[in-house]
């Protein structure tokens, strides 16, 4: 009989979102009238439509595909030059990144998971707690962990707690050998951002330890404060120790359209079994061109349109709308006396539960008393217990209604 990859059996059966679904179904069955009032602020998905500039570029590209003179078959696996050049020009000017260090893909979820293909076994891998679950589960699938304990923490991973005390940026581990570190700023789920000094400390740590930072900057476009770094490559020396993941999902609303990219500096190296340094860029290039045939041409045209004058204005409007939502949600929670983090440089508001109520307890209260679905912090890791996440990805009307209900029913 065909043998399976037993590592998959170690995965907790997707605990968080199924459990949310179960509780919401139980509630709506018991309160059929409440169904139409239910507002979902749980999932990290955008709600506003694709910018017009992107739709137009995509339409035009589809028309090009309809004429033999302009038809395109397989494109370059690494992505079209027009998109890689636009990215460099608009996102990385002055940072010394070149277009051939960019790999276009169909999503950062896949990229952050697939990157493990080119790293061997035996690495010490650090993740933040709470965390975007993809980082953990892909390491489990790759065989980089042991079994999960009763709290869902996997043996073999180094968990870096992020709490109110460290403002949700983990302390540098002391006396601990680490080879790979996942950092995500602005952060999902906590909505926090990292300062230049904090990122510089992580870069220094990585360089001293010959470690590599996987830097997930999916929420870069939501940064509002002046001195918050938008890229890890703004930090001196990061090109020797970091890979950055970017996506069009959250800024351009591409969650259903699919386009992202990964930046791997050519000077970044790892070690082979014989102790020789090997370029990470060439390994990823080999992996990418063997297992991937490029994002579709119309989608890459749509992504490039994010950087057109109209595109920039339309994206900026989307971001302003979502960040306005975040501000309203922050204020509503503060008004009823809850402690609030995030929502300043990211579209997530991270809220402390009231005394004596845990994350799931707060989930139930929000559902029963306000008919609002949020995400319990404990679902993102043990250190998320005592918090909940409200997503600002919603219409303004829904957010205003959520705020009204928070103040009226939970105050
Ligand atoms: C939404 C999100 C992404 C983007 O993933 P895509 O596959 O590009 O849609 C990446 N990282 C985090 C932490 C996210 O929340």
């Amino acid at each position: 009989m065909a043998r399976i990859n037993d590592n998959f059996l170690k995965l907790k059966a997707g605990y968080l979102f199924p459990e949310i679904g179960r509780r919401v179904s139980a509630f709506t069955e018991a309160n059929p009238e409440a169904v139409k009032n239910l507002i979902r602020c749980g999932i990290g998905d955008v709600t506003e439509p694709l910018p017009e500039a992107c739709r137009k570029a995509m339409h035009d590209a589809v028309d090009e595909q309809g004429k033999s003179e302009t038809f395109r078959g397989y494109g370059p696996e690494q992505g079209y030059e027009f998109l890689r050049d636009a990215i460099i020009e608009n996102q990385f000017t002055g940072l010394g990144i070149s277009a051939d260090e960019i790999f276009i893909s169909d999503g950062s979820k896949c990229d952050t998971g697939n990157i493990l293909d080119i790293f061997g076994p035996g690495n010490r891998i650090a993740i933040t707690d709470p965390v975007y679950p993809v980082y953990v589960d892909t390491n489990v699938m790759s065989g980089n962990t042991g079994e999960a304990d009763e709290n869902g923490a996997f043996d073999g991973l180094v968990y870096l707690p992020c709490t109110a005390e460290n403002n949700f940026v983990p302390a540098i581990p002391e006396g601990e050998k680490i080879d790979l570190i996942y950092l995500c700023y602005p952060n999902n789920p906590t909505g926090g951002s990292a300062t230049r000094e904090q990122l510089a400390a992580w870069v220094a740590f990585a360089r001293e330890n010959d470690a590599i930072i996987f830097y997930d900057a999916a929420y870069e476009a939501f940064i509002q404060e002046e001195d918050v770094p938008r890229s890890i490559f703004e930090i001196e020396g990061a090109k020797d120790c970091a890979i950055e993941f970017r996506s069009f999902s959250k800024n351009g609303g591409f969650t259903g359209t699919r386009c992202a990219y990964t930046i791997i500096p050519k000077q970044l190296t790892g070690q082979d079994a014989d102790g020789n340094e090997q370029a990470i860029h060439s390994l990823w290039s080999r992996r990418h061109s063997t297992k991937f045939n490029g994002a579709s041409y119309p989608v890459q045209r749509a992504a490039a349109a994010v950087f057109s004058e109209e595109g920039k204005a339309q994206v900026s409007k989307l971001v302003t709308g979502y960040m306005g939502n975040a501000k309203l949600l922050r204020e509503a929670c503060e008004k009823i006396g809850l402690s609030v983090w995030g929502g300043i440089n990211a579209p997530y508001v991270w809220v402390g539960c009231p005394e004596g109520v845990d994350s799931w307890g707060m989930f139930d209260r929000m559902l029963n008393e306000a008919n609002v679905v949020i995400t319990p912090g404990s679902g993102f890791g043990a250190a998320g217990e005592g918090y909940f996440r409200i997503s600002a990805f919603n219409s303004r009307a829904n957010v205003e209604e959520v705020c009204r209900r928070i103040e009226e029913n939970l105050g």
Side-chain angles (χ1 to χ4, degrees):
M1 200 181 285
R3 272 297 308 273
I4 59 146
N5 178 347
D6 283 22
N7 293 314
F8 280 65
L9 304 179
K10 297 176 192 164
L11 294 167
K12 303 280 276 182
Y15 171 73
L16 177 61
F17 289 103
E19 178 62 17
I20 289 176
R22 201 188 61 72
R23 290 189 191 212
V24 171
S25 307
F27 172 76
T28 53
E29 266 163 44
N31 308 276
E33 265 308 290
V35 179
K36 59 180 184 305
N37 288 331
L38 202 68
I39 301 180
R40 291 175 191 273
C41 296
I43 303 170
D45 193 0
V46 298
T47 54
E48 300 309 302
L50 208 59
E52 195 195 341
C54 301
R55 298 199 310 270
K56 175 160 189 321
M58 204 179 329
H59 278 297
D60 291 349
V62 170
D63 288 341
E64 284 182 66
Q65 292 295 70
K67 294 191 213 90
S68 50
E69 311 84 72
T70 49
F71 170 78
R72 301 189 190 217
Y74 289 124
E77 288 101 346
Q78 209 179 325
Y80 282 101
E81 229 168 74
F82 65 77
L83 179 54
R84 289 187 284 128
D85 287 343
I87 289 167
I88 291 292
E89 213 171 287
N90 289 279
Q91 304 269 266
F92 297 95
T93 33
L95 298 185
I97 303 287
S98 64
D100 60 359
E101 293 176 314
I102 295 184
F103 294 85
I104 308 295
S105 76
D106 59 359
S108 278
K109 190 192 221 182
C110 346
D111 286 348
T112 53
N114 290 334
I115 197 76
L116 291 173
D117 270 12
I118 61 169
F119 290 94
N123 284 316
R124 287 285 285 165
I125 298 164
I127 56 150
T128 60
D129 176 11
V131 73
Y132 180 53
V134 174
Y135 312 152
V136 177
D137 290 357
T138 51
N139 271 292
V140 176
M141 291 171 179
S142 302
N144 291 336
T145 74
E147 301 287 338
D149 68 14
E150 65 279 5
N151 299 319
F154 283 92
D155 197 32
L157 290 180
V158 178
Y159 288 85
L160 308 170
C162 296
T163 59
E165 286 69 48
N166 58 24
N167 216 5
F168 305 100
V169 178
I172 305 288
E174 274 178 46
E176 185 143 32
K177 178 82 189 100
I178 284 167
D179 304 299
L180 300 173
I181 311 149
Y182 290 82
L183 294 177
C184 171
Y185 290 101
N187 189 262
N188 177 15
T190 68
S193 51
T195 64
R196 206 165 291 280
E197 292 67 36
Q198 286 166 325
L199 284 188
W202 274 103
V203 166
F205 171 82
R207 286 166 61 94
E208 269 161 38
N209 291 274
D210 288 325
I212 292 178
I213 298 172
F214 293 155
Y215 194 73
D216 186 341
Y219 295 94
E220 170 273 333
F222 295 86
I223 294 173
Q224 308 292 307
E225 290 180 321
E226 207 50 40
D227 197 42
V228 174
R230 293 173 169 268
S231 165
I232 188 88
F233 300 120
E234 289 180 31
I235 309 299
E236 183 83 32
K239 285 205 282 278
D240 292 324
C241 66
I243 293 173
E244 183 161 307
F245 301 96
R246 291 269 187 119
S247 174
F248 293 96
S249 281
K250 308 295 160 50
N251 61 344
F254 274 54
T255 52
T257 303
R258 313 303 305 140
C259 199
Y261 55 99
T262 293
I263 301 130
I264 306 188
K266 288 200 163 156
Q267 68 207 65
L268 183 69
T269 58
Q271 203 174 52
D272 67 19
D274 298 325
N276 303 313
E277 274 190 55
Q278 301 286 351
I280 299 295
H281 183 280
S282 37
L283 298 183
W284 183 248
S285 177
R286 191 72 172 85
R287 192 263 169 219
H288 200 66
S289 51
T290 301
K291 292 196 180 181
F292 188 62
N293 250 333
S296 91
Y297 174 67
V299 164
Q300 290 191 62
R301 279 291 180 201
V306 160
F307 303 116
S308 65
E309 283 315 308
E310 308 78 52
K312 280 182 201 166
Q314 289 157 11
V315 166
S316 162
K317 205 164 154 215
L318 287 174
V319 168
T320 305
Y322 290 133
M323 292 313 290
N325 290 348
K327 182 166 184 284
L328 293 174
L329 290 165
R330 280 182 59 99
E331 287 166 357
C333 291
E334 279 168 348
K335 223 180 248 175
I336 64 163
L338 298 177
S339 300
V340 177
W341 294 269
I344 306 276
N345 295 305
Y348 299 114
V349 178
W350 189 245
V351 191
C353 299
E355 259 319 287
V357 186
D358 68 6
S359 290
W360 279 109
M362 205 54 202
F363 176 89
D364 290 336
R365 278 193 64 188
M366 290 287 283
L367 182 59
N368 289 298
E369 293 165 37
N371 301 349
V372 170
V373 182
I374 49 92
T375 317
S378 57
F380 297 103
E385 180 55 85
Y387 299 94
F388 63 97
R389 186 191 77 174
I390 313 183
S391 167
F393 288 130
N394 223 318
S395 66
R396 180 57 53 84
N398 272 353
V399 167
E400 283 171 349
E401 176 62 16
V402 167
C403 291
R404 199 188 61 72
R405 291 187 200 170
I406 288 175
E407 288 169 35
E408 232 174 71
N409 305 330
L410 289 140

